[in-house]
């Protein structure tokens, strides 16, 4: 499914002070040998050699490519591993990775995929169909990725270089996009090797891994890579720096070429030092989630009242410095499948009061559980807005322990929750994005519990989602539009706004680099100037 190029706004310094230029000269790109054999692609204005460097805003010690959902290690996975098809994270279009070509259609529910000639893992062993089959099967069994792959009935090796995939139902329009979730590794790898130092067939391979705050991940080119996106530098180094000031210092002083997650307060400092700060509109969002098995939050009118009560434009202006877009649908307006929902929430305290009165919930007291990450900066205004319509909101700022939401008969530990999310790091098709929060999984069974609602709206939504999965690409949009309307009306879990993600980089030191609209850094195609 084709996705449009994501728009962005750039803020580049107009002046280049001598001191700033001196600092920028310290980047790792200066250290490469220009005489080294050029065995990789390079940009027109870039050169092979040197070290690509980045400052990452998230930490993780889980390098296992199966079910990886951490912002840091998922980004690393994009560089070290390949799927049959991979996503260009700038456009969300798929391209042939390990696959030699598009899937060969045998029937509506059976496809074959031939592997790229000469594809090898970084240890020199050839990638085989057995490796692919094993990777798909292990991902299907994973609690996270399995939900993305439930359309697969079985997979087997037809021969050493051909994979046969049988489906439960027709899924042609989304097949390549969804197969990109699975990254391939040698079947021979043990569970311990997958968790500590896995190898792949991608353009880069791990040299050393320390994903803790203050640590670093070192990469080197895979000498056996023969795919479409070869490494264009001698080395790659990522510093793991959770502290905003530390990342800002690294970029402004030239220790790194790229910085993830630029705080608005530091953007001017970076542009004054000669760096570029790009804001890219994406799907990333903060959301309100309701305990829908607890009264009065089982009533959609109460849930709607929250969204009418909150002054989103004021929230975006004050807490996000304007770098977000108000919600008019589950998807942001720049998404290729955007549809304006039948219900749009604008600031209307009187309507909020009226809905609460209709539902018999006027003046209720409740606790707003707030995740202690960036969304905590939104909570003060949200509380004030909710209190202003006669509610009694108590803030409980905490690190969310998702283990408390494990399947059990115990009472859910919250009333209403404010926390962020962004499944677009896995893909950007509407089915994947909706399935993450509204499918038959832990979100609807143990977090919102919306699946247990007696009004049948969850069933209606999931019936439509299944219909869209089996539909042709030309018919999917109309079905998805109905889904977006249900979500906007029912709001068991719904975005407050869609964020712009800020990335800083030194445009005069790195070529071919472009920020993306989700967490993580992508250096594929980038090289040192």
């Amino acid at each position: 499914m084709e996705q449009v190029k994501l728009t962005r706004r750039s803020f580049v310094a107009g002046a280049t002070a001598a001191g700033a230029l001196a600092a920028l000269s310290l980047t790792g790109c200066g250290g490469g040998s220009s005489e080294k054999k050029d065995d990789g692609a390079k940009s027109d204005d870039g050169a092979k050699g040197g070290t690509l460097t980045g400052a990452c805003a998230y930490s993780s010690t889980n390098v296992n490519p199966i079910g990886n959902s951490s912002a840091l290690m998922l980004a690393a996975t994009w560089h070290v591993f390949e799927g049959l098809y991979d996503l260009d994270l700038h456009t969300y279009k798929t391209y042939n990775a390990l696959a030699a070509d598009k899937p060969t259609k045998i029937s509506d529910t059976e496809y074959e995929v031939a592997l790229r000639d000469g594809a090898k893992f970084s240890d020199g062993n050839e990638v085989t169909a057995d490796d692919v089959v094993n990777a798909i099967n292990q991902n299907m069994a994973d609690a996270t990725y399995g939900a993305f792959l439930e359309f697969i009935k079985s997979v087997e090796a037809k021969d050493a270089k051909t994979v046969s995939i049988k489906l439960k139902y027709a899924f042609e329009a989304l097949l390549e996009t969804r197969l990109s979730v699975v990254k391939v590794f040698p079947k021979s790898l043990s569970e311990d090797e997958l968790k500590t130092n896995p190898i792949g067939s991608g353009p880069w391979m791990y040299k050393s891994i320390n994903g803790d705050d203050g640590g670093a991940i070192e990469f080197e080119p895979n000498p056996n890579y023969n795919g479409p996106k070869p490494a264009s530098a001698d080395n790659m180094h990522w510093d793991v720096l959770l502290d905003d000031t530390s990342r800002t210092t690294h970029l402004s002083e030239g220790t790194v070429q790229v910085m993830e997650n630029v705080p608005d307060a530091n953007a001017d400092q970076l542009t004054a030092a000669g760096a570029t700060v790009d804001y890219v509109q994406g799907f990333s969002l903060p959301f309100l989630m309701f305990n829908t098995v607890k009264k009065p939050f089982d009533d959609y009118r109460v849930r709607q009242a929250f969204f009418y009560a909150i002054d989103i434009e004021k929230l975006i202006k004050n807490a996000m410095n304007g770098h977000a877009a108000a919600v008019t649908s589950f998807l942001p307006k720049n998404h290729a499948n955007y549809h304006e929902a039948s219900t749009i929430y604008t600031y209307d305290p009187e309507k909020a009061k009226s809905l609460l009165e209709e539902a018999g919930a006027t003046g209720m007291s409740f606790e707003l559980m707030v995740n202690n990450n960036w969304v905590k900066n939104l909570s003060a205004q949200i509380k004030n807005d909710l209190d202003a319509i006669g509610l009694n909101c108590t803030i409980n700022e905490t690190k969310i322990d998702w283990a408390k939401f494990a399947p059990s008969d115990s009472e859910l530990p919250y009333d209403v929750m404010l926390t962020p999310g962004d499944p677009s790091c896995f893909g950007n098709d509407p089915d994947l994005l909706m399935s993450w929060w509204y499918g038959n999984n832990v979100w609807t069974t143990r977090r919102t519990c919306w699946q247990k609602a007696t009004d049948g709206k969850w069933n209606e939504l999931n019936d439509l989602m299944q219909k869209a999965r089996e539909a042709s690409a030309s018919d999917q949009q109309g079905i998805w539009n109905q889904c977006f309307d249900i979500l906007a009306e029912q709001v068991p879990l719904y975005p407050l706004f869609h964020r712009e993600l800020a990335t800083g980089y030194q445009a005069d030191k790195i070529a071919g680099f472009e920020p993306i609209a989700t967490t993580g850094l992508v250096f594929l195609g980038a090289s040192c100037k």
Side-chain angles (χ1 to χ4, degrees):
M1 179 186 63
E2 185 171 320
Q3 299 287 343
V4 295
K5 176 77 173 181
L6 295 168
T7 58
R8 71 186 194 184
R9 292 186 292 172
S10 299
F11 298 85
V12 186
T16 52
L21 289 174
L24 294 177
S25 69
L26 299 175
T27 59
C29 276
S33 170
S34 60
E35 297 180 358
K36 182 173 179 175
K37 180 182 177 182
D38 187 352
D39 55 359
K42 60 184 179 181
S43 305
D44 292 340
D45 55 351
K48 179 72 164 59
T51 299
L52 295 168
T53 53
C56 302
Y58 304 92
S59 64
S60 175
T61 57
N62 176 24
V63 298
N64 191 338
I66 302 171
N68 204 318
S69 59
S70 75
L72 174 66
M73 291 305 181
L74 185 59
T77 294
W78 298 333
H79 296 78
V80 174
F81 300 89
E82 295 178 283
L84 289 172
Y85 305 94
D86 281 340
L87 283 178
D88 182 332
L89 272 297
H90 305 93
T91 64
Y92 284 100
K93 294 179 180 179
T94 57
Y95 60 89
N96 298 338
L98 279 173
D101 207 339
K102 300 285 186 181
T104 299
K105 185 175 181 178
I106 308 302
S107 71
D108 285 346
T109 57
E110 185 174 2
Y111 293 81
E112 291 179 356
V113 181
L115 301 186
R116 182 179 76 229
D117 287 341
K120 293 182 178 181
F121 293 112
S122 56
D123 64 358
N125 288 315
E126 290 193 5
V127 181
T128 69
D130 283 338
D131 296 313
V132 177
V133 169
N134 174 66
I136 293 176
N137 282 331
Q138 290 207 44
N139 277 270
M140 287 174 62
D142 178 73
T144 300
Y145 287 6
F148 301 148
L149 304 168
E150 65 87 32
F151 63 93
I152 298 176
K153 180 179 180 180
S154 64
V155 57
E156 61 183 22
K158 179 181 179 181
D159 55 45
K161 290 294 182 180
T162 309
V163 179
S164 174
I165 305 173
K166 294 182 179 179
L167 312 181
K168 297 176 183 176
Y169 44 80
F171 198 69
E172 183 173 18
L174 297 174
L175 182 60
E176 290 177 43
T177 300
R178 202 57 60 82
L179 287 175
S180 69
V181 168
V182 178
K183 303 308 178 187
V184 179
F185 50 87
K187 181 180 179 181
S188 60
L189 286 190
S190 67
E191 184 175 351
D192 182 64
E193 287 170 325
L194 280 171
K195 292 180 178 179
T196 56
N197 192 25
I199 63 174
S201 61
W204 294 92
M205 60 184 188
Y206 291 120
K207 186 176 181 180
S208 64
I209 307 169
N210 179 0
D212 291 320
D213 186 20
I217 303 177
E218 300 279 357
F219 306 81
E220 56 189 352
N222 173 4
N224 300 299
Y225 181 75
N226 72 339
K229 294 183 178 291
S232 297
D234 291 337
N235 295 283
M236 185 162 62
H237 174 99
W238 294 1
D239 287 308
V240 182
L241 302 169
L242 273 59
D243 180 69
D244 290 344
T245 300
S246 182
R247 291 196 314 283
T248 301
T249 300
H250 272 62
L251 183 62
S252 62
E253 293 184 351
T255 308
V256 297
Q257 301 142 353
V258 181
M259 170 191 171
E260 182 179 22
N261 197 23
V262 176
D264 290 321
N266 296 348
D268 289 344
Q269 174 187 344
L270 289 170
T271 56
T276 298
V277 177
D278 277 358
Y279 288 86
V280 187
Q281 179 64 63
F283 181 74
S284 176
L285 51 87
F287 60 83
L288 288 180
M289 180 173 81
F290 298 87
N291 180 350
T292 65
V293 293
K294 183 175 183 179
K295 291 186 179 300
F297 308 112
D298 60 336
D299 190 324
Y300 78 95
R301 294 171 297 182
V302 173
R303 303 193 295 261
Q304 285 188 344
F306 277 64
F307 289 92
Y308 282 116
I310 299 170
D311 189 341
I312 297 297
E313 294 294 348
K314 180 180 178 182
L315 200 63
I316 291 173
K317 178 181 179 181
N318 293 342
M320 304 301 295
N321 202 25
H323 296 303
V327 168
T328 55
S329 180
F330 176 65
L331 300 178
K333 286 185 177 180
N334 68 326
H335 194 287
N337 299 105
Y338 170 80
H339 157 76
E340 183 176 291
S342 56
T343 304
I344 297 176
Y345 296 96
T346 55
Y347 182 50
D348 192 340
E350 294 307 313
K351 186 172 182 64
K353 292 177 184 178
S354 176
L355 287 167
L356 291 174
E357 185 176 356
E358 289 176 20
T362 300
M364 69 170 174
S365 298
F366 69 97
E367 180 182 272
L368 179 64
M369 181 180 287
V370 179
N371 212 337
N372 68 341
N373 48 35
W374 66 270
V375 297
K376 65 185 180 184
N377 298 321
L378 310 176
S379 63
Q381 185 200 310
I382 290 175
K383 171 180 166 53
N384 289 340
D385 288 347
L386 294 173
D387 286 349
I389 63 168
L391 299 179
N392 182 12
C393 173
T394 301
I395 298 292
N396 175 17
E397 183 183 313
T398 183
K399 180 176 176 58
I400 303 299
D401 181 4
W402 293 111
K404 292 182 178 179
F405 296 82
S408 71
D409 295 326
S410 61
E411 184 177 340
L412 285 175
Y414 81 105
D415 295 332
V416 185
M417 184 186 296
L418 171 65
T419 190
D422 185 8
S424 69
C425 56
F426 304 116
N428 207 33
D429 70 81
D431 180 69
L432 183 151
L433 298 176
M434 287 190 289
S435 294
W436 179 256
W437 282 311
Y438 311 110
N440 184 15
N441 57 38
V442 68
W443 286 98
T444 57
T445 60
R446 286 302 306 159
R447 292 178 182 171
T448 65
C449 288
W450 189 38
Q451 188 182 127
K452 300 177 182 179
T454 58
D455 59 11
K457 288 294 184 178
W458 181 87
N459 292 320
E460 182 181 347
L461 174 72
N462 276 260
D463 287 347
L464 286 168
M465 289 170 61
Q466 183 61 34
K467 184 179 178 181
R469 292 179 189 121
E470 300 181 43
S472 64
S474 60
D475 292 334
Q476 285 178 325
Q477 186 66 55
I479 304 170
W480 283 332
N481 292 350
Q482 297 176 62
C483 296
F484 302 147
D485 288 346
I486 290 173
L487 293 176
E489 177 193 61
Q490 294 294 310
V491 291
L493 179 160
Y494 203 65
L496 292 170
F497 52 74
H498 293 103
R499 291 180 72 196
E500 295 176 2
L501 267 70
T503 305
Y505 60 101
Q506 301 170 356
D508 61 341
K509 294 296 179 181
I510 189 169
F513 174 83
E514 288 188 68
I516 58 175
T518 187
T519 53
L521 298 174
V522 177
F523 287 92
L524 300 175
S527 58
C528 299
K529 284 187 175 181

